[in-house]
Amino acid sequence: MTWGHPPRHEVKFALGDGTTVHLEMVFMALDGPEAEEKIRGGLYTGIWANELNTIRRPIITMALGRAGRFPSMKDGGPTWHGMLADTNMPDEDHWVYKMAEEEHPAGWAFFRQPGGVYQNADGIW
C-alpha cells in the first residue's frame, strides 16, 4: 500500500493456469467539485464505486468513459471492463433509482440484496 495522493495498492500473483494477475487499486474520493478532473485522463480497466447514490451522475459518466482503457488496445485490450457499485436504494427522484426502476439502460444490471432479517410463515424471525 502506498499512502500517496491518491492512495494506491498493488497486487501481483500467479493463477493455477499460469496466467498472472496484476491489480492496481487507486482510491479516490469523488465527492467534491473537482471529482471529474480527478478521473479525467485516467486509464482504467474497471471501477468500483462505493455508495453510488452519493456520486453525481456526470462523474459516473466520466468514469465509465475511462474504463476499458487499460491495457491499451495495441496490447490486446482488457478481457472485461466496466463498473461495479454498491449503494443503498435512494429516493424515487434520484438518478440511480430512475435507472434501476424506470429506465433499465442496456448494459446495466441491478441486483437487490435481501434484508438480513425475515419473518417466516410461522412468525419466527
Side-chain angles (χ1 to χ4, degrees), residues 1-59:
M1 185 80 186
T2 304
W3 294 101
H5 187 73
R8 297 174 181 268
H9 186 64
E10 189 171 349
V11 178
K12 291 182 184 179
F13 59 92
L15 297 175
D17 65 0
T19 58
T20 301
V21 173
H22 182 181
L23 172 67
E24 178 187 28
M25 292 170 277
V26 181
F27 300 89
M28 286 187 268
L30 298 176
D31 56 352
E34 72 290 343
E36 289 173 67
E37 290 303 315
K38 286 182 179 181
I39 54 178
R40 185 182 310 276
L43 303 174
Y44 309 110
T45 303
I47 297 166
W48 179 304
N50 180 247
E51 295 294 342
L52 184 64
N53 64 323
T54 65
I55 304 173
R56 293 177 292 127
R57 189 171 183 169
I59 296 167

Side-chain angles (χ1 to χ4, degrees), residues 74-92:
K74 71 178 175 102
D75 294 328
T79 56
W80 172 90
H81 70 276
M83 176 181 289
L84 301 172
D86 63 77
T87 189
N88 290 316
M89 187 55 88
D91 294 333
E92 294 176 3

Side-chain angles (χ1 to χ4, degrees), residues 89 96-104 110 112:
M89 187 55 88
V96 172
Y97 180 91
K98 289 178 181 175
M99 289 184 77
E101 299 297 328
E102 298 169 7
E103 297 172 13
H104 310 285
F110 294 88
R112 286 187 178 86

